[in-house]
Amino acid sequence: GQPSVLYYTATLFDEIGLGNGAVIGVAVWKLFATLCAVAFADSYGRKTLLYIGCSLMAFALLTLTFTTSTNLIYIVLVAMFIYIGGYQVGFGPVVWTLISEIFPMEARGKALSVAVFTNFALNALITLACSPLLAFSPSLTFAMFFILELIAIVFIKYHVPETKGLSLENITKLLEDDYINRGGGSSQQNFSAETSSLLLSKSPGSTNEDGLSFTC
């Protein structure tokens, strides 16, 4: 739903007379939020950043749902900046990182092509739909995207793996093992257990099943 917020931001800027200066401010804010995501992606993890980003976006969308039809212009403006910051911390950079990590080597090229095409195709669809949706009802538009944010948080919890600190080969192995073992219980629990085991095996002084020491 980012195109809807950005479209509405441009409209709001015109209404309150902020003009090009506000557009530059949005660009600087997006750059700052993206740099924060890049700095903390490996220390806090991909899923944590997605949770933070989606939570900020959901809060902003809920605020916009109830304030776009009022005269609380500056509250709307703050909500928009919160939304943009949340997107740049979470979905903006992290999704591209994840899709470059989770596909197996032999299919990575084709899988990335499909993922990138799907992303931009849906983005184009949302972009085309935003103008008539906002013209019909800004509040309803933002409420719809708020519900999608809640769905996204649930999807991230149960279906998005945490790849922090793992090599591409280890990520592929863990996902393959998780797929094989999916019938034996919660796939997320299996994946988390295997991830913890792998990270422990890479810690200083630990040994593998053949008695070989690992060092970092």
Side-chain angles (χ1 to χ4, degrees):
Q2 191 196 29
S4 66
V5 175
L6 293 180
Y7 275 134
Y8 197 78
T9 301
T11 302
L12 182 64
F13 287 166
D14 289 338
E15 289 179 358
I16 62 181
L18 291 179
N20 293 332
V23 175
I24 296 173
V26 169
V28 172
W29 173 240
K30 290 174 68 173
L31 175 62
F32 173 76
T34 302
L35 291 176
C36 288
V38 172
F40 296 116
D42 283 328
S43 55
Y44 288 96
R46 282 69 162 148
K47 291 187 70 169
T48 299
L49 290 181
L50 286 174
Y51 283 138
I52 293 172
C54 285
S55 297
L56 290 173
M57 292 165 70
F59 171 77
L61 288 168
L62 186 62
T63 302
L64 289 170
T65 298
F66 292 104
T67 57
T68 51
S69 59
T70 68
N71 293 322
L72 302 174
I73 293 177
Y74 288 98
I75 292 180
V76 172
L77 188 61
V78 170
M80 288 179 173
F81 272 83
I82 291 174
Y83 180 91
I84 293 169
Y87 178 84
Q88 296 303 134
V89 166
F91 280 134
V94 175
V95 167
W96 297 107
T97 302
L98 279 172
I99 65 172
S100 69
E101 294 176 330
I102 61 175
F103 297 118
M105 295 294 292
E106 60 272 15
R108 182 159 295 149
K110 292 181 179 179
L112 279 173
S113 298
V114 173
V116 171
F117 173 80
T118 303
N119 186 302
F120 280 105
L122 292 176
N123 187 58
L125 179 63
I126 294 296
T127 300
L128 292 173
C130 277
S131 182
L133 283 173
L134 288 171
F136 176 72
S137 173
S139 295
L140 182 62
T141 301
F142 295 130
M144 177 181 67
F145 287 123
F146 168 73
I147 294 172
L148 290 176
E149 283 297 332
L150 298 182
I151 295 173
I153 291 173
V154 174
F155 181 87
I156 291 166
K157 177 177 176 60
Y158 291 105
H159 298 290
V160 175
E162 179 55 76
T163 59
K164 178 185 71 173
L166 300 177
S167 68
L168 296 178
E169 292 76 13
N170 288 334
I171 293 170
T172 298
K173 181 179 184 304
L174 288 173
L175 289 173
E176 289 174 347
D177 291 345
D178 176 65
Y179 178 78
I180 293 171
N181 297 327
R182 188 171 293 175
S186 170
S187 61
Q188 183 63 33
Q189 290 176 349
N190 290 340
F191 185 87
S192 299
E194 291 172 10
T195 302
S196 300
S197 175
L198 181 60
L199 290 175
L200 285 173
S201 72
K202 294 169 65 178
S203 62
S206 63
T207 58
N208 67 359
E209 60 184 2
D210 297 321
L212 299 177
S213 297
F214 288 90
T215 57
C216 297

